[in-house]
Amino acid sequence: MNSSYNFAFLDEGTKREIRRKLLKAVAIPGYQVPFGSRELPIARGWGTGGLQVTFAIVGRTDVVKVIDQGADDSVNACNLRDLIEVTTGCSTTSDTLDATIVQTRHRIPEESMTAEQILVFQVPYPESLRFVEPSERETRRMHAEADYSKLWVFLYEDIVRWGEITLSHRYPVMVNHRYIMDPSPIPRFDVPKLHQADTLFLFGAGREKRIYAIPPYTDVTPLQFQDYSFHVEDFHGASCAECGSTESYLTEVYDRKQGTKQYVCSDTSYCMKRQEQQAGSDVTIGRLWHA
C-alpha cells in the first residue's frame, strides 16, 4: 500500500456517506439512491461508480477481483485492479472462488458466488426508463407511482416491429415486485443469475450519481409478456474453442486473415481453469449459476 494515499483513496467521510447510501439501497431493493460522487484519477464513464462502492466497503483482509466483460486481463480491469491494490494493500486474484469482492463491468462470473461474497457493478446508465422518458423529474415520478406503462408499450412496439423483444443488454427487470431496474449492460444470459441469489449485488453509477442494490434472496423478474416470454442468448451447436465449454456465455471472435469465426468463453478465469483441469491440474471449478 502506498502510504501517501488514504486507505482506499477516498476520505473517511466520503466512505461513510457511501456506506449509508448502500444501507438504504439494500433496504429498498431496486431503488436508486442519490449520492455525492467524487472525483477519481479515472474518467467518469470508466467505472468510477463501481470503484467508489468498492473503496467504501473494502477492508484490509479482503481479496478483490476485477473483470471487464468477463476478462481479467483487459486494460480497464488491470488499471482498476492496480489502483485498488496500490491504495488499499489488499490482495487481488483472478479466481472468482477466492475473491471476497468482485468488481465487474458488463458480466456476472460463470461460477456461482456465495453469501460471503459481494458483486459490485460498474453502471454507465442506471435509469431503466431512459428508453422512454428523457426527463429525470418525470422518471422519478414514474418510479414513485409505479407507473411503468410507457416501458411496457415500448416493449410491445418492439415485438410488433421485430417479432420479439430485441434488447440484448440492459434488459429491464422487476425487483422485489416493486421497482423496475436497469441491471447494467449485462447480457440476457446473466439476468436470471440475479434472481434469488446468495450474493449481495451492489450497483454504482458515478457519472449519474446513483447507487442501488439487490439483496440476497430477492425476486428479480425480467419483463415479459405471457405470449412472448423472456429468453437468453442461444449458443446451440457452439462451444468454446479454448476449453470446449458449451454452458458458458460465449464471445464471437473473427479471424480476418483466415476469414473464419470461432467462439471463446467471455469469462477468462473460468476458461483457464477448465483448460488447466483438462491438462491434469488439480483445479477447483465452482458450480455454474444455472446449475
Side-chain angles (χ1 to χ4, degrees):
M1 173 182 172
N2 190 328
S3 58
S4 61
Y5 294 105
N6 187 48
F7 176 77
F9 191 80
L10 300 174
D11 63 273
E12 296 305 314
T14 295
K15 287 187 281 189
R16 282 194 294 270
E17 183 213 347
I18 294 174
R19 288 194 287 265
R20 287 195 297 268
K21 303 297 185 179
L22 287 171
L23 288 174
K24 183 174 182 179
V26 170
I28 314 175
Y31 174 73
Q32 297 174 46
V33 183
F35 81 107
S37 179
R38 301 308 199 261
E39 294 292 335
L40 291 175
I42 58 173
R44 294 191 186 277
W46 291 90
T48 57
L51 190 59
Q52 289 178 80
V53 171
T54 298
F55 279 153
I57 64 174
V58 69
R60 298 182 188 277
T61 59
D62 277 308
V63 180
V64 179
K65 170 183 169 75
V66 182
I67 56 175
D68 182 355
Q69 299 194 19
D72 297 271
D73 54 0
S74 73
V75 172
N76 184 252
C78 290
N79 288 338
L80 294 183
R81 182 169 55 247
D82 290 345
L83 179 60
I84 294 170
E85 192 170 13
V86 167
T87 57
T88 64
C90 66
S91 301
T92 58
T93 183
S94 62
D95 192 337
T96 303
L97 302 184
D98 292 339
T100 56
I101 299 174
V102 178
Q103 181 174 318
T104 179
R105 174 177 175 266
H106 300 2
R107 277 305 317 275
I108 296 178
E110 299 295 348
E111 297 168 281
S112 59
M113 298 173 65
T114 67
E116 286 73 37
Q117 296 175 296
I118 298 175
L119 184 59
V120 178
F121 291 81
Q122 300 169 202
V123 182
Y125 306 107
E127 182 52 71
S128 58
L129 299 176
R130 197 61 71 218
F131 292 116
V132 296
E133 179 52 60
S135 169
E136 181 67 23
R137 182 175 181 178
E138 183 64 11
T139 57
R140 292 287 192 89
R141 181 200 65 79
M142 293 167 71
H143 281 299
E145 299 177 3
D147 178 10
Y148 297 126
S149 55
K150 281 188 177 181
L151 186 56
W152 283 108
V153 171
F154 171 81
L155 298 178
Y156 169 74
E157 290 177 342
D158 208 22
I159 292 173
V160 171
R161 176 173 295 182
W162 304 109
E164 64 175 346
I165 298 174
T166 58
L167 295 176
S168 61
H169 60 285
R170 294 186 63 198
Y171 196 98
V173 295
M174 178 70 74
V175 179
N176 202 33
H177 312 284
R178 174 55 181 89
Y179 287 102
I180 287 182
M181 189 197 84
D182 188 319
S184 85
I186 59 174
R188 288 189 184 204
F189 189 88
D190 288 341
V191 171
K193 301 175 183 179
L194 301 171
H195 177 68
Q196 287 291 322
D198 298 331
T199 308
L200 171 62
F201 299 120
L202 302 176
F203 300 79
R207 180 176 51 201
E208 305 293 329
K209 302 178 176 63
R210 294 290 182 271
I211 286 173
Y212 50 104
I214 301 176
Y217 315 116
T218 299
D219 287 337
V220 180
T221 309
L223 301 190
Q224 57 187 335
F225 297 94
Q226 289 183 348
D227 52 345
Y228 284 90
S229 59
F230 171 82
H231 61 86
V232 302
E233 292 86 350
D234 183 13
F235 296 108
H236 181 71
S239 61
C240 175
E242 303 292 339
C243 71
S245 174
T246 58
E247 299 180 305
S248 59
Y249 183 80
L250 301 176
T251 300
E252 184 178 304
V253 179
Y254 182 73
D255 188 334
R256 292 185 177 182
K257 293 183 178 179
Q258 301 295 330
T260 59
K261 67 177 182 180
Q262 60 183 10
Y263 293 91
V264 295
C265 290
S266 169
D267 188 332
T268 56
S269 172
Y270 171 73
C271 187
M272 288 298 298
K273 289 168 73 173
R274 278 183 53 90
Q275 293 178 59
E276 291 173 11
Q277 189 180 68
Q278 292 164 5
S281 300
D282 184 15
V283 179
T284 300
I285 299 178
R287 179 176 61 90
L288 298 186
W289 288 85
H290 56 75

